[in-house]
Amino acid sequence: MPAPVAAAAQVPDTALAPAPVPPPAPVAPPIIPLAPDQAAERQLGARCPVDLAGRLAPQGDLMIGACQGTLPPHLAALLVALPEQDIHLPRSWREREVRQKAWFKAVAGMGQRPDFIGRLGDIWVRSFEGADASTTTYLVSAPFDCADGALPNENTAEPVRLAAGSCGQAYVRQRVYQVGSDGVPQNITAKLMPAAPSIAEADRARHRAREGRVILDHSKLQYGPAMRWFVQYPESPQKTGPHSFSDWNREHLSFVVWNGTGFELRDTVTRAQWPCDPVAPGDKPCGGFPDSGPDAYVLAGSTVNSAVSSP
């Protein structure tokens, strides 16, 4: 006679219940390609380069192959409406300046309109639009902090001299704005922009010992949705560190990427999010400054945004 089978231990009902499934991570809206031949800029009355030299010509570090004309109306309105207490340039000066010709370009975005980036003297602004144009977010780089009597820190760039207003010179900073229903831009930097990546004290000491400067690179905003924190060392043949990239003595810290609703830190991006600067026909792709050299933090993407169309 077979031995009796021991009764199975009772298992609480909660142990039999399926484990909770975490909600899926939000998916950013798809990038909507631009119309060819700078159609968006031309529709706004801008004059755009038609030859290869013009398409490769820089207008500052954010404007390769840009068009020239009056800024897109929503960018101009945002710059004029910035509260007087925020920016050290009088509204009367800004009203006059936005009527002058400036450099700007359209960027593939996530909304019905393309995003735009434009420069007005020492000010630049980049729009990030979603499905609802009323919630368009603006990243503004402007003289927000008066430098008169202030002491710079080790990573502060030189202040710029101002053309108008009571502040003689100011530090250029970046802030994030949305325009409220009353038409007044609201500073939402603390809500949408993550703090700079944390750096261990040992790494910070190593940076200082090699005269490294922490920099946030905005130059790729003219092509896509990302910026990059990195450490720049003086020109020298020495190896910079375990996270070095490129041929220019740089050390990677983090990317800052627009995800459709805000900015987030990421360790890597795809090449589609971080396109290479355009090069002349026959030159090595991604061979121009600052794209030359190995970069383990930029991954191959399924599609690559072309920085400039063939002339």
Side-chain angles (χ1 to χ4, degrees):
M1 182 176 180
V5 178
Q10 288 191 343
V11 180
D13 291 342
T14 54
L16 298 176
V21 178
V27 177
I31 299 291
I32 301 173
L34 290 174
D37 299 326
Q38 298 172 309
E41 295 95 327
R42 296 177 192 277
Q43 287 177 0
L44 292 170
R47 297 183 63 181
C48 302
V50 295
D51 60 338
L52 180 62
R55 289 176 179 269
L56 297 177
Q59 305 294 336
D61 60 352
L62 283 169
M63 296 286 159
I64 296 177
C67 300
Q68 190 177 34
T70 54
L71 289 175
H74 57 307
L75 265 62
L78 179 278
L79 292 177
V80 170
L82 288 172
E84 292 270 9
Q85 66 269 21
D86 282 13
I87 184 171
H88 291 284
L89 283 169
R91 180 168 285 118
S92 58
W93 182 90
R94 287 176 273 145
E95 288 174 340
R96 182 175 65 253
E97 289 300 304
V98 297
R99 293 194 292 268
Q100 309 303 315
K101 289 184 178 180
W103 296 100
F104 70 93
K105 61 193 299 186
V107 186
M110 301 175 182
Q112 295 181 0
R113 297 180 300 187
D115 295 339
F116 285 93
I117 185 167
R119 180 181 286 280
L120 192 69
D122 292 316
I123 302 172
W124 59 259
V125 57
R126 165 68 150 88
S127 64
F128 296 86
E129 189 166 324
D132 183 359
S134 67
T135 62
T136 299
T137 299
Y138 300 89
L139 178 62
V140 183
S141 181
F144 287 122
D145 294 337
C146 190
D148 293 347
L151 297 176
N153 62 44
E154 59 182 324
N155 289 315
T156 298
E158 290 294 320
V160 299
R161 292 187 177 276
L162 302 185
S166 59
C167 177
Q169 54 183 359
Y171 294 114
V172 172
R173 314 289 195 201
Q174 288 78 48
R175 294 184 180 178
V176 181
Y177 285 89
Q178 280 184 347
V179 179
S181 57
D182 57 358
V184 178
Q186 306 295 325
N187 180 1
I188 56 172
T189 309
K191 178 181 178 182
L192 293 192
M193 181 64 71
S198 59
I199 302 175
E201 188 55 40
D203 288 332
R204 195 180 300 274
R206 179 170 54 83
H207 299 163
R208 286 195 294 263
R210 297 183 176 182
E211 301 181 0
R213 292 182 63 243
V214 176
I215 295 174
L216 179 57
D217 179 7
H218 308 92
S219 64
K220 299 299 186 181
L221 288 176
Q222 61 182 310
Y223 310 128
M227 300 170 280
R228 187 178 202 168
W229 285 105
F230 68 92
V231 183
Q232 177 68 69
Y233 295 98
E235 295 296 334
S236 68
Q238 67 183 358
K239 180 177 171 60
T240 57
H243 303 292
S244 61
F245 70 98
S246 86
D247 291 333
W248 303 101
N249 297 311
R250 295 178 171 184
E251 189 169 333
H252 172 80
L253 292 176
S254 182
F255 290 100
V256 186
V257 182
W258 173 255
N259 62 16
T261 58
F263 296 93
E264 62 185 25
L265 295 180
R266 295 183 188 173
D267 193 46
T268 61
V269 294
T270 64
R271 178 56 74 190
Q273 294 170 311
W274 193 257
C276 292
D277 286 7
V279 295
D283 288 352
K284 179 183 177 182
C286 295
F289 178 85
D291 305 307
S292 62
D295 193 340
Y297 301 93
V298 179
L299 312 177
S302 56
T303 58
V304 177
N305 293 342
S306 176
V308 88
S309 57
S310 300

